[in-house]
Amino acid sequence: MSNAFLEGDPMEDGVYLGVDVGSVSTNLVVMAPSGRIIKKIYLRTEGNPIGSVQKAFCEVAPEFAAVKVLGVGVTGSGRQLIGTIIGADVIKNEITAHGVAALRAYPEVRTVLEIGGQDSKIILIENGVAVDFGMNTVCAAGTGSFLDQQAHRLNLSISEFGQIALRSKNPVRIAGRCSVFAESDMIHKQQMGHSLEDIVAGLCTALVRNYLNNVGKGKEIRPPILFQGGVAANAGIKRAFEQELGHPVIVPEYYDTMGAWGCALLAQEEKAAYGKTRFRGFQLAEEEISVTSFECVDCPNRCEVINVHINRRPLSGWGDRCGKWQRINAEATG
């Protein structure tokens, strides 16, 4: 999905990039200095974070190759790897990135609910500062992948899932504390003759119940409440949250790219600290990038050292507790 340059955001001012590399999706935003997103890319990571970022760069390059990049921020579970490869100026965790974007979208926000493909988060905010947060641990039953699995099992596309749930008159109760129990309970409800609408609505409620029990964990959820992440597109989940919490739930305009937007905003905020960007350019889309690892035997720690190569040239390494290989690579690459 992309948007053309908006009036008042001239190209000559340059742009900031934000990249959110998750286990399920990779998001990239191009942001004008005004803070407006002028292009956004959403791709499935498909187990290949480097390849997905290269695909995103391929889509962006024709429009922005000649535009000055002022700074780059990276977040997500692949932030260390991708931040190293593309030359990120700012690398931040997802809680910080999502919190910054939420505050820019709605400065008065008190609670951020975020449900992504394989993780979920809650951020509590007081006076513009994140004061508490929570994340799911080992269970995927409160995440987008849970909904994906159940939609596939019901032979539905995830895009129609929410609208079907809204047509429900009498949602059934689904045991949603784990995906295995949910699936067996759904089969049982189908065999009892419940309608598809009522089962889908029951699944939405089960996911919300699971989220509040395992991610919320008794935290005080105060309005205004923002709901972001890819699952926020599901109207059935939004309604289930509103029914459980008793408050309106707001889905921001950039709900599916808030992490990428947040780290682009952070790259802009911290511009004075890093000065000139280290961004290596969109031509990375065409370059050969490889990652190798080895066990360092120089001391009893036996650290697993990760090395990145671009066009067979060593770029960087990490994973060593002493920093030896980082120094060696830094000296080799200047």
Side-chain angles (χ1 to χ4, degrees), residues 101-102 105-106 226-229 232 250-256 258 261:
Y106 287 89
L226 229 57
F227 180 24
Q228 54 198 50
I250 303 163
V251 176
E253 179 182 3
Y254 304 135
Y255 66 90
D256 55 345
M258 294 293 270
W261 187 33

Side-chain angles (χ1 to χ4, degrees), residues 222-276:
R222 297 177 178 175
I225 301 167
L226 229 57
F227 180 24
Q228 54 198 50
V231 177
N234 188 310
I237 298 291
K238 176 178 180 289
R239 185 180 70 172
F241 266 125
E242 291 176 332
Q243 289 174 338
E244 288 287 327
L245 298 173
H247 296 292
V249 170
I250 303 163
V251 176
E253 179 182 3
Y254 304 135
Y255 66 90
D256 55 345
T257 52
M258 294 293 270
W261 187 33
C263 58
L265 290 167
L266 285 162
Q268 184 182 35
E269 286 179 14
E270 299 182 17
K271 175 72 176 169
Y274 62 80
K276 185 180 178 182

